[in-house]
Amino acid sequence: DAGVTQSPTHLIKTRGQQVTLRCSPISGHKSVSWYQQVLGQGPQFIFQYYEKEERGRGNFPDRFSARQFPNYSSELNVNALLLGDSALYLCASTTSGGGNSPLHFGNGTRLTVT
Amino acid sequence: EDQVTQSPEALRLQEGESSSLNCSYTVSGLRGLFWYRQDPGKGPEFLFTLYSAGEEKEKERLKATLTKKESFLHITAPKPEDSATYLCAVQPIYNFNKFYFGSGTKLNVKP
């Protein structure tokens, strides 16, 4: 079975640019979450979506936005990139929006902002 | 404020030398505590979920335990392939959409 897939795997952008990251959840999973992981730290929660609706938002500026599509895939958009946005962006899926299911992660998109 | 602290930050063991990793947490109400393994350049890989104090889970050389304030990941007779960063995360009852992660323990097992 395919796990969570993310694209692209690596990305280099310049300050001020915009970026879109993509995620396909495990088949049958309806909830997608996005996390940011800075080198040497644990993942930090950005968003959670379930059935195309935003169910949670972390402490990130409005430059960060996301959406979920009818096939449960998701996109994360970051506008006006800053150097501090350089990180590994992880997508995770679960079977439902509020249960005890663990997060299943993809291998992330490594974003470098120069 | 919900918080997860892991210790030590890094741990170097000889193959076969057992040890424990600690995850201390502060949360208003715990829905679940999760352990993950993360290899360099990869996403976290799910290991265990613990729900209530006194619960234990085992998988090969790993055993996770839970109290009201902390969790331990015991590694028995580790092998070099156990080298990775181990992450702990808590899921609060009141905000179960959000997982709080610790910074992890980087384990290096030497042959």
Side-chain angles (χ1 to χ4, degrees):
Chain A
D1 284 346
V4 176
T5 57
Q6 293 187 243
S7 63
T9 55
H10 295 84
L11 205 49
I12 299 175
K13 290 287 189 177
T14 304
R15 276 177 299 176
Q17 287 187 317
Q18 175 265 341
V19 68
T20 298
L21 312 180
R22 295 176 176 82
C23 170
S24 292
I26 293 171
S27 177
H29 285 196
K30 299 181 177 181
S31 174
V32 168
S33 299
W34 288 95
Y35 283 76
Q36 180 196 65
Q37 187 176 25
V38 174
L39 199 62
Q41 296 183 19
Q44 270 201 298
F45 175 73
I46 310 176
F47 288 109
Q48 194 225 10
Y49 276 78
Y50 176 67
E51 291 282 12
K52 296 171 287 179
E53 290 189 7
E54 182 184 302
R55 293 296 184 93
R57 173 185 281 258
N59 295 327
F60 282 80
D62 292 343
R63 299 184 295 107
F64 289 76
S65 64
R67 56 179 174 168
Q68 187 178 32
F69 299 98
N71 66 353
Y72 304 110
S73 67
S74 178
E75 285 182 353
L76 175 70
N77 295 284
V78 187
N79 293 323
L81 285 166
L82 303 173
L83 294 178
D85 294 330
S86 295
L88 180 67
Y89 287 85
L90 294 164
C91 174
S93 71
T94 58
T95 53
S96 64
N100 293 337
S101 304
L103 298 171
H104 295 275
F105 286 91
N107 285 327
T109 294
R110 172 69 64 186
L111 173 64
T112 302
V113 182
T114 62
Chain B
E1 181 181 329
D2 298 327
Q3 196 169 340
V4 178
T5 304
Q6 292 188 246
S7 62
E9 289 185 9
L11 182 61
R12 176 180 285 189
L13 298 174
Q14 286 297 128
E15 185 173 0
E17 180 187 1
S18 302
S19 188
S20 296
L21 313 182
N22 178 263
C23 170
S24 297
Y25 62 91
T26 304
V27 66
S28 302
L30 182 69
R31 191 179 181 102
L33 185 141
F34 301 80
W35 281 97
Y36 287 85
R37 169 193 171 124
Q38 186 172 26
D39 293 298
K42 299 287 185 69
E45 175 189 349
F46 170 68
L47 294 173
F48 302 110
T49 308
L50 301 165
Y51 295 109
S52 56
E55 189 175 0
E56 298 182 353
K57 293 275 181 72
E58 281 190 70
K59 180 180 179 180
E60 295 180 359
R61 295 176 293 283
L62 300 177
K63 183 167 99 172
T65 62
L66 180 64
T67 72
K68 288 188 176 179
K69 293 294 183 186
E70 58 190 350
S71 176
F72 292 93
L73 185 65
H74 307 277
I75 303 177
T76 302
K79 298 181 178 181
E81 53 262 41
D82 294 322
S83 297
T85 295
Y86 290 86
L87 295 165
C88 167
V90 297
Q91 182 187 28
I93 287 176
Y94 67 91
N95 190 8
F96 48 79
N97 298 316
K98 178 178 181 177
F99 285 53
Y100 292 84
F101 282 83
S103 295
T105 293
K106 187 173 183 178
L107 174 65
N108 187 6
V109 182
K110 295 288 192 181

